[in-house]
Amino acid sequence: MKKTVIIFTGIFLMLILGVTLVIAVPNSLSRKISDGIKARGYMEYSPDDAKRLAMQICTQCHDTERIAKYCHRCGPPFIAVIPHMKKFIADYKMKDSYKELSDVTDYQAAAIIQTWNALVGNWEADFRKQDLVKLIGDNKSLLELLNTPIEKRKIEYALRTRGDKVTGAYQAGHLGEQSGHSTH
């Protein structure tokens, strides 16, 4: 009986040690596991992880230069664009199933929105709130993000205060001033 308990305990400890090493030691498998955990909302994205995610997901369809040139005259703020991009990705995958495009979870969407708001500009305050709510639809996580002040958006605030920008980002004197985003 004692031998069985010792063997079972040893196997259990080895499994825990193995899983811990896979997650703790930086490698492609640990990154894939942590990305999956973050995509499901069990862990928060760091500003650098969110930036990497935004570049990875959004450059599936657009180059960075095109995203950087996006401005308040071209369309609504990023918070209203992401739901439509998610639908576009789903439709595109059905139409051209041979092409691989990554889906976007709500948690990833929130991280991507905050990243582009910091890198390009946040002009949510330049739009009527009811228009943004209509464009967002019933997405609770994006509605929650819309109602979160910029100072409490961890990713956006951290990238913005660090001064992160995308080269070639559209700059206008009033862009995002109402929402507290300096463009200079």
Side-chain angles (χ1 to χ4, degrees):
M1 183 71 167
K2 277 187 169 185
K3 209 178 207 183
T4 307
V5 171
I6 291 172
I7 291 172
F8 178 72
T9 304
I11 291 171
F12 182 71
L13 290 174
M14 291 299 286
L15 283 173
I16 289 176
L17 180 65
V19 169
T20 303
L21 285 175
V22 166
I23 293 174
V25 176
N27 60 55
S28 61
L29 182 58
S30 67
R31 176 172 268 179
K32 189 172 184 171
I33 291 170
S34 68
D35 285 350
I37 291 169
K38 290 173 186 174
R40 288 174 182 79
Y42 297 120
M43 275 176 62
E44 288 186 4
Y45 283 97
S46 72
D48 291 329
D49 287 341
K51 191 174 177 180
R52 181 182 52 81
L53 174 72
M55 296 296 176
Q56 174 190 338
I57 296 289
C58 298
T59 57
Q60 295 179 110
C61 304
H62 311 290
D63 60 15
T64 309
E65 184 177 316
R66 180 175 178 183
I67 299 167
K69 297 286 184 214
Y70 189 77
C71 71
H72 66 288
R73 293 179 300 166
C74 302
F78 291 105
I79 198 163
V81 171
I82 293 291
H84 299 284
M85 290 295 110
K86 287 174 69 169
K87 184 175 178 350
F88 173 79
I89 289 170
D91 291 347
Y92 193 78
K93 287 174 91 169
M94 287 181 62
K95 180 181 155 202
D96 294 327
S97 59
Y98 63 92
K99 292 188 178 179
E100 282 192 43
L101 291 177
S102 299
D103 290 321
V104 179
T105 68
D106 289 345
Y107 299 101
Q108 289 173 321
I112 291 168
I113 290 163
Q114 291 181 68
T115 300
W116 289 119
N117 281 350
L119 298 179
V120 176
N122 180 338
W123 50 89
E124 292 167 14
D126 294 345
F127 277 70
R128 291 182 343 158
K129 189 168 186 172
Q130 58 263 43
D131 292 340
L132 288 176
V133 168
K134 187 175 182 179
L135 288 168
I136 291 170
D138 62 351
N139 188 314
K140 290 179 183 16
S141 64
L142 294 185
L143 290 171
E144 184 179 320
L145 181 64
L146 178 64
N147 292 317
T148 303
I150 292 174
E151 302 79 41
K152 296 195 182 202
R153 295 180 181 186
K154 293 178 182 179
I155 296 166
E156 184 172 348
Y157 188 73
L159 291 173
R160 197 179 89 201
T161 55
R162 260 186 1 198
D164 287 20
K165 288 281 185 202
V166 171
T167 304
Y170 176 81
Q171 298 291 314
H174 73 283
L175 178 64
E177 284 179 4
Q178 292 175 339
S179 60
H181 187 80
S182 173
T183 59
H184 302 291

